[in-house]
Structures are given as structure tokens and as C-alpha cells.
Amino acid sequence: RPAGTHVMGVIAFPHPFRSFYAEQAALKFFTIFVIAVTILIVILALDNMVKTGEASGYSSLEFAGSNSEAYKVITSWTGRQMVVAAFSAGFHFVFLVFYVLFLSLSTSWVSAHPACPPWLVRPASILALLQPVGGLFDIMLQSLNIASICAVASGTTPPDHGPAAATAFAVIHDVILALGALVSAVMGIVILCTRRRTTPTTPAASSASSAPPTDYALMQG
């Protein structure tokens, strides 16, 4: 595939992510994935600590949708749970660095792979560029949640329209993240299956490919 991509057929520029995995791609993908999953496990553990009758977890605040609902969720927490929820919101900033990086690289890799269907090349490239945008929406979401927690803890109510805006940001962020994850997972499986079916079995081909493949070659399939 060409190193550049076209957005809406108008602007042409080199894709910013493809040079990152040109060398040691497998190691980079694996390292980022492991770190992201580890942080996610911590976030899920924190989420379990803020479950109450009004809140199924921290996500209840993200999708409260109104000041009254956000107030009910936050006031159902004890002081310690408010601290845990605020810490969880802050910890999301660390998480978003790694999930944005992983999904940006994986969707970029999919778009550049020879097995990628032509109709998916441009959408996958655009999805790679949209992942940091989803991360920005996550930053705004978590910032609003922290503001709401601090407001209620200080004896006032969440900022006007803050919870509604937070929910809107959460929906946009989740859609971008889910599309990136779906394309990466489905095409990753397709590429791996295609690679196994097309592995050469003739002696000549086997001897020609006896040298250990590079990480980039592994990722390219």
C-alpha cells in the first residue's frame, strides 16, 4: 500500500503512524497491548469499589445524562468512594494514552496490509486518525466527571449541563473506540487466517523463507 492516505479524496499526506511499526512491530504492539490491559484491570477493580444501589459503577456517572441523576449517583457514594471515583477518573488519563496508541497503530496496520479489502483501506486509515480525537473526548468526559465529584463533595451540585455534556462525550468516545476495536479485531483474525492458509509448503519455498522473519514481516502477514 502507498505510505500516504487520502482523506475524503481531497487531502494527501503521509500517514503518521506507519513509520512507528516499521521495525520491531510485534514487540511494540504486544507491549502496548499488555500495558493497556493491565491498566484496564485496575480500572475495573476501582469500578467495583464504587458500586451502590444507585450506581452500577463509575460508568453510571459517565452516563448519568442530567444533573439530578449525576447528583443521585455521587451522593450514593461514601466519602471514601468519592475519592476512589475521582482517582478512577484521573487514572483514565493514563489508560487513554495506551488504548489510543494501540488502536491508532492497529487500524493503521490493517489499512496498510495487502489482505485489507480495498473498500476498507480508507475507512481504516481515517479510523486510525480518529482514535486521538476519541481520546480528546475522553479527556473532556473525565474532566467533567471530576468537576461533578468535587462540586458535590464541597456541598454544591454538579456544573450546569456538565453531566449532559459528559454523557454526549462518552457516547462519541465509545463509538470511535468501538469501531477501531472492531475493525482491528475482525481484520486481525482475517489476516492471521489468510496467512496460515497461504503459508508455502514446497521445499523451495520453505528454504527461501528459512531465514527468521522480521517483526514488520510478521505484522504484514
Side-chain angles (χ1 to χ4, degrees), residues 41-52 57-59 61-62 73-74 77-93 142 145-146 149-150 153:
I41 292 172
V42 174
I43 288 175
L44 293 175
L46 294 172
D47 190 68
N48 191 58
M49 296 171 65
V50 294
K51 289 183 178 180
T52 65
Y58 176 74
S59 59
L61 179 58
E62 294 181 328
V73 169
I74 298 172
W77 291 333
T78 64
R80 181 179 179 82
Q81 285 177 314
M82 287 187 190
V83 172
V84 171
F87 177 79
S88 178
F91 206 59
H92 274 74
F93 292 115
Q142 304 307 330
N145 284 345
I146 292 173
I149 294 170
C150 291

Side-chain angles (χ1 to χ4, degrees), residues 105-153:
L105 293 175
S106 61
T107 47
S108 173
W109 170 67
V110 165
S111 72
H113 199 281
C116 182
W119 60 267
L120 187 59
V121 172
R122 183 174 298 174
S125 293
I126 294 174
L127 269 177
L129 299 175
L130 282 178
Q131 297 309 311
V133 177
L136 290 176
F137 279 104
D138 198 5
I139 289 173
M140 294 186 287
L141 159 65
Q142 304 307 330
S143 298
L144 286 171
N145 284 345
I146 292 173
S148 294
I149 294 170
C150 291
V152 175

Side-chain angles (χ1 to χ4, degrees), residues 103 131 173-184:
L103 291 177
Q131 297 309 311
H173 151 262
D174 285 353
V175 168
I176 294 175
L177 186 152
L179 288 174
L182 179 64
V183 168
S184 299

Side-chain angles (χ1 to χ4, degrees), residues 190-214:
V190 169
I191 289 169
L192 288 175
C193 291
T194 302
R195 181 173 174 238
R196 289 190 177 187
R197 287 200 304 269
T198 57
T199 301
T201 54
T202 62
S206 299
S207 59
S209 60
S210 59
T214 63

